[in-house]
Amino acid sequence: MNKKEIKNAITREVCAYVKSLGYEIEDDGFHGSLTFQKKEDGIDESIEWNRTYQEAVCYNWASRKTQIDCISIDAHMKPIIEHYNNQYTPKRATA
């Protein structure tokens, strides 16, 4: 797999997981991150997934439940990210 395929696979995995937690997914398409938010919660209870750093973050003042979900997402994704990154096969230079 190349880097783009790996990033796309990881994004699909995180989206599937957060949907199972009851979050809706917003992608503004500009800054390389996804926002996860439950329908009944405000923006302060949202979680952001950074595609480049492959980590979830939330506001310091978010509820304990949101903070636990954020930690849960990172914990769930860590072995998945390692699995996909181990499949990276860089192209060899041809002479």
Side-chain angles (χ1 to χ4, degrees), residues 5 8 15 23 51 60 66 72 77 80 84:
E5 292 169 332
N8 289 340
C15 287
Y23 285 89
R51 291 178 179 150
N60 291 337
T66 299
S72 171
M77 291 305 298
I80 294 169
Y84 280 112

Side-chain angles (χ1 to χ4, degrees), residues 4-92:
K4 183 176 181 178
E5 292 169 332
I6 290 170
K7 188 185 288 189
N8 289 340
I10 291 169
T11 300
R12 280 192 302 274
E13 293 278 349
V14 75
C15 287
Y17 183 66
V18 298
K19 283 182 181 179
S20 74
L21 295 175
Y23 285 89
E24 293 182 357
I25 301 167
E26 275 187 45
D27 181 3
D28 68 7
F30 291 110
H31 63 282
S33 64
L34 299 170
T35 303
F36 310 138
Q37 186 175 348
K38 292 188 176 178
K39 193 174 250 180
E40 65 275 1
D41 292 337
I43 193 69
D44 286 348
E45 299 301 318
S46 64
I47 298 172
E48 189 166 300
W49 175 261
N50 186 297
R51 291 178 179 150
T52 302
Y53 299 113
Q54 299 172 336
E55 67 179 357
V57 294
C58 66
Y59 292 113
N60 291 337
W61 56 84
S63 69
R64 187 75 182 134
K65 170 74 171 110
T66 299
Q67 292 178 12
I68 289 170
D69 284 350
C70 187
I71 292 166
S72 171
I73 292 166
D74 278 337
H76 176 80
M77 291 305 298
K78 184 177 180 177
I80 294 169
I81 291 167
E82 288 175 6
H83 167 75
Y84 280 112
N85 285 336
N86 288 336
Q87 295 182 32
Y88 175 62
T89 53
K91 291 183 178 182
R92 296 181 184 260

